[in-house]
């Protein structure tokens, strides 16, 4: 069941310089599964398309999203406060499969990290690999409660001397298992990580690399894709990705990310 | 509360109310039926369907613009056979068989005259009540808009389709022309039972940081509240030029907007991209039209069609 | 900070930067000069001027629409003689006589070919640097748009004006046509030195409570951010069709928008109705274009003209 | 001198069911004269034209407007709170003349009442006539401090029994000089009001009646006109009214309300 609702804002919080965490209340939360997303609408009548945002976690009737300011829509969203309302539709899409061969590598890159929290909370065989572009390690402590965490940071130099001490600290505290300068694939290789399955969310180049790595190493991989959306529910065919086979719904080699996805078996889609 | 007549007649087919969905923004209703009751609508107009499956354009296929959007879906569709088996079947099952059921209007596209004609033929024995012929999609290279921008070609294709069609045909006009009233007249003379307008206005968006077109197709069709004044003007012009019914669309976001189109001369209206902003908007449009009728004590919605001249 | 070249050339006239005002939205600059420095602009394009004074249309002359507005001013103006004495005189006095002064572009309108020609003749010995010929105003009954929608008429009037004009002429094109690139080509072949586009798109708004047109003229011209995607597409099409410079406008609200038009092929740009929303917007547009050049290390703004194809 | 500024909101207050009073702070206040107006811009990027609103009064750098919710723009304005900002340009237009033959009849109808407060404060020979459509008598007490006030109410019945007691009270208290059921002209006639000059602001039918009355009775009348605006500063020619003579600026029988007006000598314009 999907709902279109005016959700009340419970809490808005800044997690990093341009990353915010938002808790809202409504019916969507009760139906949500890890890997699904919601469509968020701005209050600005000149911006009409939805902003698709992954569900980061839920608690009863409460639902959390974590988002990066990427443009005017997310900027306006970050200005909303407790007690305000926001129009949302969801839960949308399919989510990550529940029955897969464990253990599961949960791979989140950048703003692909948030859905991994919901996913991690739903399993207990997680190996978590997180890729950050800089040392603002949002959601790290929360994720570390649900599995062993390896992190990769593209530009650790930005943290300076204090930063490297900070990472030493995380290692000593046991928050992270390993630290790699580079991307998630570097971290996976450096630590020789292996698993039964892999769930990945992040930028396209990362997903391509995960797909290839998993293919070579016999890991079943699922990836969460992104595309511009309009209806968010599978009706307009805006958000397609190429598929290996003819898709039964579309009748062509195209799948709708908002309906058949956003999570696809990596081998079935062209990333 | 007095009886209010909301039903309208399009080429002999009675719609329970004047509110339809605009082709391509509502699929075949399947996805929306999870969120709303499609039996509240005057008609469901389905996404354009061609003879064989079409892949459509590359992505991105949509872009946001001020109070509107660009789309270049490129008429992706599974082809007429799957469409009849699955989509029409779904609509048939879902629509209440009441006195005036929600009508099914199938939007047809093609690359050649022959393709249009063949699609129309295959629809002959289906539950489609009306056919809407899309000769105005700006997002495919061949066919479509080429027919809609040239009076001679438009006349020829209208005639051929009319001969082949069992159901009444609605010609869907392109706003990307100098004189849309002329196009409506051409359709009427060639035998069309109605015209609908407007399809999208061709537009473009450039990503100045990446120095490339936002849409993979370069251009796309502009729709939404941004274009409403253009659509209202064109509906007014066409309604003044032809006797066949005019179906109005372009940026409708409320019952008030729907009334505006009707006052400009539309017999019925369609809600397009605003379905994306609010999945319940078609239902709400019907409700607020009724409220308007009550506020102004209008007994028959047909009274307002073309009342502002 | 490196030297950045912002100047552009239109038919042999150098503009200090590519930002102009769109005709009719800035008067002759007199009123704006109280709020901003018109010497910051590449050019001031004045309100359309005809041979004799024109009264224009009745009121209301403007209406708000989603992310845009409709206007039907109807080219009210005091006639060429008062214009030369007062408005050109004001501009002459106000503009700094520097190396590259802010240029004066006079927008000319008329009801007949002869009227256009006579206005252009009277401007021969004035300080006008360029003439923009408005053959695309949708708000007057005679002349104007009639010339802009018919290739034959457009060609004839362009030739006649070109023969009579001392200054280079810019033909201002109407978007209310099927094929605007064809119109640009017609102008080029007839001797135009540049084309500018788009003028407004004809639109309409109905007051459903009062059951009447909002504008006293029934229809008006739509402008503003709402139409930007259409304008960018048309600039792109024209720039691909002619060698003479293309001046782009339609909904520009920022330096980023100006850059988008230039990437689509515009040599210069004009800011129109957004002057009403922010009286300082033209100045701000210049500043943010420079910031864009710095961010992307662009040495000469001309590099980006038509860079996205 | 005109200014375009982002003015800070000092106070927003409801005066009647759909009438609000708003105090803002900025440079415009210091230059404003009675009868001038400001252009108010909404924060909504889909609504781009100005909302012209008369200046109701000023105090140092503070400026007050009183407005009725007439549509979406004024509705949004009424939602702003202390500390928010609002974009405004002003002062615009000419204002009422200072040197006229007294005493002066200040005639305000409906939402034409607010500019009369500023005007009344600037003179001491005021005879004030206010027309209300219903018994929500906004600004009445404030105006009564600056002259003798006569009121006309179109639909006094809406106040019921308590309402008529309320009006009795106003008469007893000396807040109002007279009460008339009807419009301002009814009040002027009923009380045989006479004066050297008249300043009027209100709906067009009222202004036409004032013009006629003053013409017949040899009172010099000035009226404040309304029209849809775009530039607000005289550049676009949106806001014209017909003029008796050829206007020196326009060269035709049209005057710009935002530049030559909004206040005109009644005999010079076609209302
Ligand atoms: C399934 C899915 C899940 C996502 N989950 C998250 C998340 O958990 N956290 C997060 O920060 N971001 C997420 N994104 C990306 C997020 O949707 C965009 O960052 C956001 O829409 C940008 O909106 P804006 O108004 O700030 O930017 P603008 O660039 O102004 O947006 C303009 C338009 O483009 C669309 N758009 C822009 N970027 C993207 C994008 N990357 N993907 C899809 N549409 C886009 C917007 O929705 C809007 O319609 C997700 C995207 C998808 C498709
Ligand atoms: C010189 C002048 C002074 C005014 N002073 C006051 C005042 O002190 N208090 C007050 O409440 N109202 C005043 N008005 C009227 C006020 O401008 C409108 O009520 C207001 O613009 C309505 O805006 P909206 O968005 O609520 O309505 P909408 O109808 O949504 O507005 C749509 C557009 O029409 C314009 N518009 C609508 N009504 C009018 C109108 N009556 N006059 C001019 N433009 C209009 C709006 O500015 C906007 O551009 C004045 C008007 C003028 C011209
Ligand atoms: C995503 C999208 C897809 C569309 N697909 C079709 C289509 O298949 N056939 C068609 O005739 N029109 C199509 N249209 C045009 C709409 O039916 C409608 O004419 C246009 O969008 C204007 O209405 P609106 O402004 O309410 O959206 C499409 C529009 C959109 C936005
Ligand atoms: C109020 C108004 C008056 C205009 N008057 C003229 C005119 O006199 N001559 C002309 O060529 N264009 C005129 N235009 C068109 C503009 O110059 C411009 O082409 C159009 O508005 C698109 O630009 P914009 O969207 O930035 O406003 C006018 C536009 C407006 C809004
Ligand atoms: S956004 Fe419409 S199908 Fe996915
Ligand atoms: S609003 Fe532009 S001249 Fe008055």
């Amino acid at each position: 069941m999907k709902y279109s609702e005016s959700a009340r804002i419970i809490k808005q919080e800044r997690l990093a310089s341009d990353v915010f965490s938002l808790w809202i209340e409504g019916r969507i939360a009760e139906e949500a599964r890890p890997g699904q997303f919601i469509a968020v609408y701005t209050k600005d009548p000149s911006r009409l398309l939805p902003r698709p945002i992954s569900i980061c976690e839920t608690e009863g009737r409460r639902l959390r999203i974590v988002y990066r300011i990427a443009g005017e829509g997310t900027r306006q969203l970050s200005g909303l406060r407790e007690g305000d309302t926001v129009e949302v539709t969801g839960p949308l899409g399919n989510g990550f499969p529940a029955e897969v061969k464990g253990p599961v590598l949960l791979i989140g890159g950048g703003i692909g990290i948030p859905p991994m929290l919901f996913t991690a909370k739903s399993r207990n065989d997680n190996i978590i690999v997180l890729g950050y572009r800089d040392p603002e390690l949002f959601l790290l402590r929360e994720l570390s409660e649900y599995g062993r965490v390896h992190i990769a940071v593209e530009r650790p130099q930005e943290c300076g001397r204090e930063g490297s001490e900070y990472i030493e600290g995380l290692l000593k505290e046991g928050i992270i298992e390993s630290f790699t300068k580079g991307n998630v694939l570097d971290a996976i290789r450096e630590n020789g990580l292996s698993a039964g399955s892999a769930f990945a969310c992040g930028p396209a180049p990362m997903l391509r690399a995960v797909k290839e790595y998993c293919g070579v190493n016999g890991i079943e991989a699922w990836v969460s894709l992104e595309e511009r959306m309009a209806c968010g529910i599978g009706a307009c065919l805006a958000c397609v990705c190429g598929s290996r086979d003819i898709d039964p719904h579309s009748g062509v080699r195209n799948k709708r990310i908002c309906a058949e996805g956003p999570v696809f078996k990596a081998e079935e889609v062209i990333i | 509360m007095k009886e209010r007549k909301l039903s309208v007649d399009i080429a002999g087919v009675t719609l329970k109310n004047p509110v339809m969905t605009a082709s391509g923004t509502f699929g075949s209703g399947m996805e929306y039926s999870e969120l709303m009751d499609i039996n509240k609508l005057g008609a469901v107009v389905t996404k354009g369907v061609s003879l064989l499956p079409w892949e459509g354009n590359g992505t991105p296929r949509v872009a946001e613009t001020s109070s509107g959007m660009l789309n270049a879906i490129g008429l992706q569709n599974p082809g007429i056979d799957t469409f009849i088996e699955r989509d029409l079947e779904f609509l048939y099952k879902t629509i209440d068989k009441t006195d005036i059921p929600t009508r099914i209007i199938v939007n047809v596209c093609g690359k050649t005259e022959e393709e249009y004609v063949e699609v129309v033929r295959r629809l002959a024995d289906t539950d489609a009540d009306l056919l809407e012929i899309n000769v105005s999609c700006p997002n495919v290279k061949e066919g479509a808009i080429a027919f809609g921008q040239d009076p001679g070609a438009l006349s020829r294709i209208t005639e051929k389709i009319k001969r082949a069609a069992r159901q009444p045909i609605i010609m869907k006009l392109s706003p990307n022309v100098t004189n849309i009233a002329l196009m409506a007249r051409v359709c009427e003379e060639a035998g069309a039972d109605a015209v609908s307008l407007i399809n999208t206005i061709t537009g473009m968006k450039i990503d100045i940081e990446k120095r490339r077109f936002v849409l993979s197709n370069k251009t796309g069709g502009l729709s939404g509240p941004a274009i409403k004044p253009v659509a209202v003007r064109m509906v007014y012009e066409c309604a003044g030029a032809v006797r066949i019914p005019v179906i109005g669309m372009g940026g409708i976001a409320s019952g008030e907007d729907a009334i505006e189109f009707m006052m400009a001369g539309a017999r019925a209206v369609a809600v397009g991209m605003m379905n994306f902003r609010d999945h319940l908007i078609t239902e709400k449009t019907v409700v607020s039209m009724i409220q308007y009728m009550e506020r102004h004590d209008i007994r028959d919605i047909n009274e307002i069609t073309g009342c502002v001249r």
Side-chain angles (χ1 to χ4, degrees), chain A, chain B:
Chain A
M1 189 68 187
K2 299 185 179 77
Y3 301 102
S4 283
E5 56 188 22
S6 194
R8 206 163 58 84
I9 290 174
I10 305 295
K11 195 171 164 191
Q12 169 102 261
E13 209 180 358
R14 189 191 284 257
L15 301 187
S17 38
D18 57 355
V19 178
F20 288 77
S21 162
L22 182 71
W23 280 95
I24 59 176
E25 187 166 59
R27 288 172 299 179
I28 298 171
E30 294 169 335
E31 308 257 341
R33 287 192 317 272
Q36 288 187 304
F37 66 97
I38 60 173
V40 179
Y41 301 90
T42 72
K43 292 201 187 300
D44 171 350
S46 76
R47 293 171 201 274
L48 297 166
L49 294 183
R51 273 61 188 163
I53 307 279
S54 299
I55 299 168
C56 173
E57 62 175 317
T58 63
E59 264 175 28
R61 281 172 52 79
R62 296 174 173 210
L63 180 152
R64 183 190 193 189
I65 57 176
V66 169
Y67 62 94
R68 169 167 283 152
I69 295 190
E72 196 50 33
T74 43
R75 200 193 59 72
Q76 287 178 14
L77 187 62
S78 73
L80 297 181
R81 295 282 158 266
E82 194 185 317
D84 291 343
T85 58
V86 58
E87 300 293 319
V88 290
T89 297
L92 302 174
N94 58 351
F96 288 106
E99 309 284 303
V100 295
K101 203 161 89 194
V104 180
L105 264 176
L106 301 184
I107 310 169
I111 204 63
I113 291 172
M116 291 305 153
L117 180 58
F118 199 4
T119 313
K121 285 174 73 175
S122 73
R123 314 190 56 92
N124 47 31
D125 55 354
N126 307 309
I127 307 164
I128 303 170
V129 190
L130 307 176
Y132 294 94
R133 60 181 190 196
D134 58 44
E136 294 198 293
L137 310 176
F138 60 88
L139 292 180
L140 174 60
R141 280 173 190 273
E142 297 178 62
L143 271 151
S144 72
E145 290 175 31
Y146 303 97
R148 286 171 295 133
V149 178
H150 302 267
I151 68 168
V153 180
E154 304 256 2
R155 302 191 300 265
Q157 61 276 22
E158 287 184 16
C159 52
R161 234 180 60 83
E162 286 161 52
S164 62
E165 272 169 30
Y166 171 59
I167 283 170
E168 294 288 306
L170 292 172
L171 281 164
K172 263 193 215 125
E173 261 192 90
I175 302 285
I176 60 174
E177 201 80 355
S178 80
F179 165 82
T180 303
K181 173 173 179 338
N183 60 33
V184 290
L185 257 291
D186 296 327
I188 292 170
R189 290 217 177 82
E190 203 169 284
N191 296 283
L193 300 178
S194 181
S197 313
F199 294 167
C201 185
M206 175 193 116
L207 299 181
R208 270 193 289 274
V210 167
K211 176 177 175 177
E212 207 212 302
Y213 178 88
C214 292
V216 171
N217 293 280
I219 302 171
E220 270 209 304
W222 279 264
V223 293
S224 178
L225 302 185
E226 282 191 16
E227 190 46 77
R228 308 277 150 153
M229 295 188 179
C231 71
I233 59 171
C236 74
L237 309 181
C239 68
V240 298
C241 62
S243 62
R244 191 189 55 194
D245 305 321
I246 300 266
D247 173 65
H249 179 273
S250 73
V252 293
R253 282 176 212 277
N254 268 344
K255 286 177 183 291
R256 300 169 299 180
I257 291 177
C258 70
E260 283 81 48
V263 175
F264 295 98
K265 215 158 174 189
E267 63 198 40
E268 291 175 357
V269 289
I270 291 144
I271 308 170
Chain B
M1 213 180 73
K2 291 199 206 134
E3 255 320 292
R4 312 248 168 229
K5 180 173 179 242
L6 266 114
S7 64
V8 298
D9 179 284
I10 304 286
V13 177
T14 306
L15 274 55
K16 70 172 86 175
N17 65 54
V19 180
M20 342 195 299
T21 59
S23 176
T25 63
F26 204 74
S28 303
M30 219 176 287
E31 293 81 11
Y32 282 89
S33 66
E34 246 194 276
L35 284 151
M36 58 161 292
D37 180 4
I38 65 177
N39 280 297
K40 294 273 163 64
L41 302 176
V44 169
V45 182
T46 59
K47 169 78 186 159
V49 62
S50 56
L51 191 55
L52 299 174
W54 283 6
E55 291 232 340
N57 293 320
T59 54
R61 288 179 169 184
V62 292
E64 196 174 54
T65 70
S66 292
S67 296
M69 68 177 279
L70 288 167
N71 92 80
I73 308 294
L75 294 176
Q76 177 186 326
N77 80 85
I80 187 67
D81 295 336
T82 304
F83 175 82
I84 291 174
E85 270 167 45
R86 181 186 58 198
D87 299 80
L88 280 187
E89 186 55 28
F90 160 81
L91 282 169
Y92 181 75
K93 274 196 341 239
T94 308
I95 290 173
D96 289 345
K97 275 85 198 164
T98 54
D99 188 18
I100 314 180
T102 295
R103 301 298 179 179
I104 301 171
I105 304 184
V106 177
N107 183 277
V108 173
C109 57
K111 296 198 169 92
T112 61
E113 291 180 354
E114 293 65 41
E115 186 173 357
Y116 280 98
V117 165
E118 184 54 31
V119 176
V120 162
R121 285 229 175 83
R122 300 221 186 160
L123 285 162
D125 302 320
T126 65
D127 296 303
D129 294 296
L130 291 159
L131 308 183
E132 182 180 54
I133 313 301
N134 179 3
V135 284
S136 44
C137 177
N139 299 323
V140 292
K141 298 256 138 35
E142 305 148 276
I145 203 168
F147 296 110
Q149 290 185 321
D150 172 34
L154 183 59
S155 175
R156 244 189 348 265
I157 199 170
T158 306
E159 254 176 51
K160 286 203 178 152
I161 292 171
K162 180 64 194 167
R163 262 202 302 277
R166 188 184 64 72
Q167 295 92 339
I169 63 166
I170 304 162
M171 297 303 291
K172 181 155 180 187
L173 303 181
S174 170
N176 300 293
V177 295
T178 308
N179 184 347
I180 198 165
L182 170 68
M183 297 309 211
R185 224 150 36 220
V186 160
C187 289
E188 179 176 48
E189 279 160 19
D193 300 285
V195 290
S196 61
L197 59 136
I198 60 176
N199 210 316
T200 54
I201 308 181
T202 311
M204 177 182 278
K205 187 171 176 178
I206 291 173
D207 181 330
I208 65 165
E209 298 301 320
K210 301 196 182 127
R211 291 199 183 194
R212 64 172 189 228
F213 302 103
V214 171
L215 298 175
S216 90
N217 188 51
K218 296 190 183 180
T219 60
L222 184 64
S223 60
I227 66 167
K228 198 187 72 173
V230 179
V232 171
R233 183 263 296 182
M234 290 185 162
V235 164
Y236 175 82
E237 289 175 349
C238 289
V242 297
R243 283 155 192 270
I244 53 176
V246 173
I247 299 166
M249 70 198 79
I252 294 179
S254 66
E256 286 71 25
D257 291 343
I259 302 269
E260 184 176 2
F261 274 87
M262 293 189 75
M263 288 188 172
R267 190 76 63 87
V269 298
V271 181
M273 76 143 289
M274 288 303 283
N275 279 298
F276 305 154
R277 174 64 188 77
D278 177 354
H279 297 105
L280 315 180
I281 198 157
T282 43
E283 261 191 67
K284 291 179 187 167
T285 299
V286 176
V287 170
S288 76
M289 285 177 87
I290 297 173
Q291 286 164 350
Y292 179 91
M293 289 173 79
E294 276 163 11
R295 210 159 61 240
H296 292 266
D297 198 21
I298 295 163
R299 230 135 26 106
D300 179 351
I301 193 78
N302 292 283
E303 283 170 26
I304 67 167
T305 289
C307 74
V308 178
R309 286 279 107 190

